[in-house]
Amino acid sequence: MDVISVIRAKRDRAELTDAQIDWVIDAYTRGEVADEQMSALAMAILLNGMNLREISRWTDAMIRSGVRMDFSSLPLPTSDKHSTGGVGDKITLPLAPLVAACGAAVPQLSGRGLGHTGGTLDKLESIPGWRALLSNEEMMDVLRGTGAVICAAGDGLAPADKKLYALRDVTGTVEAIPLIASSIMSKKIAEGTGALVLDVKVGSGAFMKNLADAQELARTMVGLGQNAGVNTVALLTDMSTPLGLTAGNALEVRESVEVLAGGGPADVVELTLALAREMLAAAGVTGGKDPETALRDGSAMDHWRRMIAAQGGDPDAALPVAREQHVLTAPASGVLTGLDAYAVGVAAWRLGAGRARKEDPVQAGAGVEIHAKPGAVVTAGQPLLTLHTDTPERFDYALEALATPDAITIAPAGADFKATPLILDRIA
Ligand code: URA
C-alpha cells in the first residue's frame, strides 16, 4: 500500500477501500505516513467527503489505534455527554454531578479549549488544587466514589485522532463532517460509555453554522454510535449567542456552581436539565430522582463537591479573579437584538481565557461577563459586558472583536424581537 495512491483516490472522488483506510490510519499513527501527506488526504476528504461506510471504517480504525476502556464492573449504567463546542458552554460542569445524583455513572473524558471555544479542563483547572490528569485506576476510584469523573483522556485512547486533530487544526481541515464525526465518536466509543448524548451546536459560535449541516453531523454521529452499540441521541442547540452570562474559565465555574445551588441563568438551567433527562433515559435510568429536584435539594451540589475534592480540588476555595476589568457600555438605547457568540468567544480568547497554541497557558480569571442578553431593553451607557484580564494590554484587541457590525446589534425601542429557541432539534 502506498499513501500517494490513497491521496490520489480521494482527490479524484473515489471511495476508499477498507484496506486503504485501515492502512493509512495505522501508518500515520506509527509515523510512516508524514504529516504533509495526511494533510493532503484530510483536505481531499474535506473537499470530496466520505460515505457512511468509509466514515464508519475510519472511526473504527482510529479506535483500534489505541486502547478501549471498560466500565462494565461498575454497578450503575454509564452515560456521557459530548458537546461539539461553543462559547460559554459550561454545561458539563453542573451536568456530570447532576446525572450522578440521579442514578447514572458519568465518565466524562474532556478536552482543553483551542481557538474561540472554551475547554472543560481549562475551566476546572481554575479551582485551586484540581487535577485533570488521572491514571485509569484513579479515574475508576473517583467514578466509584462519587458517581462522576471529569478528566483528560489518557494518551492511549484513540492516539490516531490526537495526532490527526492537531494536524487538522493547523491545516484548515477541522470543518469536515466525516472528520469531525469520526474524531468525536472514536474517542467516545473507545471510552466505553453505554449511552451518549451529543449536544451539536449550531450558529456563529459553533463549527456548524447552519441547521442543515448540524443535522447531517448529528445523524452521522448517532449512526456511528448506534452501530457500535452505544445508545446515542443528539440535541441540536443554539450557539448564535453565548450560553449563560459568562465566557472564561473561573467565571464559568462560578456560574456552574450557581446552577448547582439552584440558581443560575435560565438558558444554562434549561439545557442542563434537558441533557440530564436525555442522559438518564439513554442509560435506561427511569423512575429515579428528577434532575430538577436534584438541583433544588442539594444532592447535585453534594456530588459536585465530592467529585472536585476527589480530584484534589478545594470546592470552598475562592476562585481566581482577573487583575483588570473594562466595562463596555451600550452605544444606543433600544432592544438588544444580537450578541454574537463568535465575537464574544474571540474577545474572551484574546483576553487570555483561551490559547493560540496547544502549549500556551490560559489565564484562570480572564473572560467576558455578560450583563444583557438578546431581547433585553437597554439604555445608552448602561454596562453590556465586563471584560476581565490580568494583562490590560489585551483590552484593545478584545474590543476589536466586539466592534464588528454583527457583534452587538441594537434595534430602536419597540422593535420586534423573536428569540431563537435553545433546543432546535433532536435526532435519535
Ligand atoms: N471535537 C473533536 O473532538 N473533534 C473534532 O473534530 C471537532 C470537535
Side-chain angles (χ1 to χ4, degrees), residues 233-253:
V233 176
L235 293 187
L236 277 70
T237 70
D238 180 55
M239 188 32 71
S240 60
T241 202
L243 203 49
L245 297 173
T246 55
N249 301 311
L251 291 168
E252 293 191 47
V253 173

Side-chain angles (χ1 to χ4, degrees), residues 82-85 117 161 164-165 168 173-188 207 217:
H82 182 86
S83 157
T84 55
T117 63
D161 176 64
L164 180 56
Y165 189 77
R168 288 165 54 214
T173 51
V174 169
E175 296 91 342
I177 287 176
L179 296 178
I180 296 176
S182 55
S183 166
I184 292 173
M185 294 308 293
S186 62
K187 286 173 288 205
K188 291 291 154 183
F207 286 126
L217 175 63

Side-chain angles (χ1 to χ4, degrees), residues 298-321:
S299 54
M301 177 68 98
D302 184 47
H303 278 74
W304 160 264
R305 293 175 60 81
R306 287 198 279 131
M307 179 185 80
I308 295 301
Q311 290 178 239
D314 177 355
D316 295 315
L319 291 165
V321 176

Side-chain angles (χ1 to χ4, degrees), residues 159-377:
D161 176 64
K162 211 159 259 154
K163 227 178 143 183
L164 180 56
Y165 189 77
L167 186 73
R168 288 165 54 214
D169 196 47
V170 293
T171 54
T173 51
V174 169
E175 296 91 342
I177 287 176
L179 296 178
I180 296 176
S182 55
S183 166
I184 292 173
M185 294 308 293
S186 62
K187 286 173 288 205
K188 291 291 154 183
I189 296 167
E191 172 198 287
T193 184
L196 176 65
V197 178
L198 298 162
D199 181 4
V200 179
K201 299 289 186 198
V202 189
S204 70
F207 286 126
M208 297 295 120
K209 308 292 180 202
N210 63 65
L211 190 59
D213 286 348
Q215 283 165 329
E216 187 186 337
L217 175 63
R219 273 194 286 270
T220 307
M221 291 196 291
V222 168
L224 290 172
Q226 300 293 13
N227 286 346
V230 180
N231 193 10
T232 310
V233 176
L235 293 187
L236 277 70
T237 70
D238 180 55
M239 188 32 71
S240 60
T241 202
L243 203 49
L245 297 173
T246 55
N249 301 311
L251 291 168
E252 293 191 47
V253 173
R254 191 191 71 198
E255 191 169 282
S256 303
V257 173
E258 285 167 16
V259 172
L260 287 160
D267 56 349
V268 179
V269 175
E270 179 187 343
L271 189 52
T272 304
L273 290 175
L275 289 166
R277 291 187 178 121
E278 292 285 357
M279 284 172 74
L280 292 164
V285 178
T286 51
K289 189 181 279 190
D290 181 68
E292 203 166 352
T293 309
L295 286 182
R296 261 203 319 266
D297 71 8
S299 54
M301 177 68 98
D302 184 47
H303 278 74
W304 160 264
R305 293 175 60 81
R306 287 198 279 131
M307 179 185 80
I308 295 301
Q311 290 178 239
D314 177 355
D316 295 315
L319 291 165
V321 176
R323 278 194 288 277
E324 305 277 342
Q325 279 77 34
H326 175 93
V327 176
L328 180 68
T329 57
S333 296
V335 180
L336 182 67
T337 47
L339 177 62
D340 185 65
Y342 182 70
V344 173
V346 171
W349 176 28
R350 290 180 179 176
L351 289 164
R355 50 171 72 76
R357 291 172 311 159
K358 272 197 154 41
E359 51 285 357
D360 290 348
V362 295
Q363 292 182 23
V368 178
E369 215 177 336
I370 298 163
H371 304 298
K373 294 274 289 220
V377 174

